[in-house]
Amino acid sequence: MKRISSFFLILFLLTFTSVLLSETITVIDMVGREVTVPSKIERIVTTYKPATQFVFALNAQKMLVGVDNTSTKEKLFTLIYPEVESLIEVGSKREGVNIETVASLNPDLVILFPHNQAEFTASKLETLGISTIIINPESLEEIRETNRLLGEVLGLEDRAKTVDDQFDNILKILEKAKNLPEDQKKVVYFANSQLLDTVGKNMMQTDIIEWAGGINPAAKSDAGFIKISPEQLIAWNPDFIVTSQKFQGDIDQLYKEVKYQNVKAFKNKQIYRFPSILEPWDYPNPSSYLGMLWLATKIHPELFSDIDFDKVADEFYDTLYGVPYSELLSKIEK
């Protein structure tokens, strides 16, 4: 009798364990944490804008119940899914996350930023029984990895593959620029919010420049964000200057700076601001791939005379967000 009871107890435990395991999946997130999340996710909270962008690219925006403090106002999101404006704001990467607000939303998953006490925030949420995942889309390859990881976690692998194919299509177009001999590449200086604020090695903007067939002169410096002197910019003498969309200056006024008149980019009127007014293409998000192609057409137009950039942009946005790029722009301009 005892043997029969033991058999049924073991059978019950095995069945219970199997059911429990089938209701969760375990993945390694982008800071190396082994995390267990529900296998069926219906309620998501994002804590910074790039996380929201990846959710939108996977067409999972209807799962959002809370977002960071800026996503409710982002033009791309409000045009595609106006309901985002009424979502609860939970904080930000810079200011921190309001744990109580997040908990009140009863999310199945919280997607966290890669820095600024993310792991501490994750541990506090997990003590409340809330699953978390940390993403880190700080390079072009990590953008692809983020998309694939979230596709797996959200049960949207096929959709993630469709998005990844768009990334791959652009990389194939850019191979002829990326593989140019060094002496045919253009020196491209990236200006952040100010002309003398730039980026060094191991930065996504450097990846963008190199894939576009350029050389970032600051990549020989330290990694991360760098502040340089006017003399250093003059010494680098870049062929092109490309500014962040968040650049605070006016390019027409910039051309009038007397001290830079002998710099090639100034002399030849080759200073450009990253598009677009819809969303920044020089920040870590899916559209960085479009930014790369846009830059390549500026610095190597002879290589891309057969590419209709507007058509590529329309297909990219239509695939990721369900609306062509030109149509979204027209809505802003009205």
Side-chain angles (χ1 to χ4, degrees):
M1 187 72 173
K2 287 183 179 180
R3 288 182 181 178
I4 295 174
S5 298
S6 297
F7 171 78
F8 281 110
L9 176 61
I10 292 170
L11 182 62
F12 169 77
L13 289 173
L14 287 173
T15 303
F16 177 78
T17 301
S18 176
V19 170
L20 185 64
L21 289 175
S22 70
E23 293 179 350
T24 61
I25 63 169
T26 300
V27 298
I28 305 297
D29 75 7
M30 294 182 70
V31 295
R33 300 162 59 240
E34 184 178 278
V35 292
T36 300
V37 301
S39 58
K40 184 173 178 56
I41 290 174
E42 297 177 339
R43 300 174 64 83
I44 302 171
V45 168
T46 56
T47 58
Y48 80 135
K49 188 164 63 177
T52 312
Q53 285 173 293
F54 281 98
V55 171
F56 267 74
L58 289 169
N59 290 175
Q61 57 266 25
K62 290 184 179 179
M63 297 182 187
L64 289 168
V65 293
V67 293
D68 64 281
N69 295 351
T70 61
S71 285
T72 55
K73 307 168 191 71
E74 183 73 10
K75 292 175 185 175
L76 175 66
F77 305 152
T78 59
L79 286 172
I80 295 170
Y81 185 62
E83 291 89 339
V84 74
E85 296 180 82
S86 60
L87 292 177
I88 301 298
E89 296 180 352
V90 301
S92 68
K93 180 178 178 181
R94 178 176 296 179
E95 298 167 8
V97 175
N98 188 314
I99 302 295
E100 291 181 0
T101 301
V102 172
S104 72
L105 297 172
N106 192 30
D108 300 313
L109 179 72
V110 177
I111 306 174
L112 290 164
F113 38 77
H115 310 298
N116 195 19
Q117 296 190 314
E119 292 189 54
F120 174 73
T121 303
S123 66
K124 291 186 72 173
L125 289 168
E126 285 165 359
T127 60
L128 299 174
I130 299 171
S131 297
T132 66
I133 192 166
I134 298 174
I135 61 172
N136 186 33
E138 296 295 331
S139 71
L140 294 171
E141 182 51 43
E142 285 168 336
I143 285 171
R144 297 182 80 171
E145 184 182 342
T146 299
N147 171 62
R148 291 190 290 258
L149 175 63
L150 291 180
E152 178 183 1
V153 169
L154 300 180
L156 298 171
E157 291 94 337
D158 289 346
R159 173 65 193 165
K161 174 66 167 58
T162 297
V163 173
D164 194 64
D165 286 345
Q166 284 294 312
F167 298 152
D168 206 38
N169 290 343
I170 290 177
L171 291 183
K172 287 175 181 175
I173 294 172
L174 286 170
E175 281 179 354
K176 52 190 172 185
K178 179 72 162 60
N179 296 327
L180 280 171
E182 289 297 301
D183 61 355
Q184 293 181 30
K185 293 181 178 179
K186 304 294 184 180
V187 177
V188 181
Y189 173 82
F190 175 83
N192 209 353
S193 58
Q194 303 288 336
L195 178 64
L196 300 178
D197 294 335
T198 190
V199 295
K201 59 187 175 184
N202 301 328
M203 294 293 284
M204 190 200 67
Q205 293 87 352
T206 297
D207 277 356
I208 288 175
I209 289 170
E210 291 176 351
W211 266 96
I215 297 169
N216 177 10
K220 296 178 182 177
S221 307
D222 295 333
F225 295 99
I226 302 169
K227 194 166 186 64
I228 66 166
S229 66
E231 292 74 22
Q232 181 62 79
L233 179 58
I234 293 167
W236 280 337
N237 194 23
D239 300 298
F240 292 82
I241 293 174
V242 59
T243 78
S244 170
Q245 190 198 33
K246 303 296 186 182
F247 182 67
Q248 295 175 7
D250 180 272
I251 290 177
D252 289 335
Q253 291 299 315
L254 190 59
Y255 278 125
K256 297 175 183 178
E257 287 273 0
V258 175
K259 59 178 168 287
Y260 300 124
Q261 292 307 303
N262 289 323
V263 173
K264 291 177 186 175
F266 282 79
K267 283 195 300 186
N268 299 324
K269 303 292 184 185
Q270 299 288 5
I271 303 177
Y272 301 96
R273 185 191 297 267
F274 259 105
S276 73
I277 59 172
L278 186 62
E279 59 168 338
W281 290 355
D282 57 304
Y283 277 42
N285 66 69
S287 298
S288 301
Y289 278 78
L290 265 187
M292 214 170 20
L293 180 58
W294 168 84
L295 180 58
T297 64
K298 293 296 183 187
I299 68 176
H300 292 292
E302 74 287 351
L303 293 180
F304 300 99
S305 59
D306 60 331
I307 298 297
D308 184 337
F309 178 79
D310 292 339
K311 183 178 179 181
V312 174
D314 274 346
E315 180 182 341
F316 186 91
Y317 272 82
D318 197 26
T319 301
L320 268 65
Y321 305 118
V323 188
Y325 179 63
S326 57
E327 185 176 328
L328 289 168
L329 281 187
S330 68
K331 291 179 180 180
I332 292 176
E333 293 164 358
K334 286 180 180 178

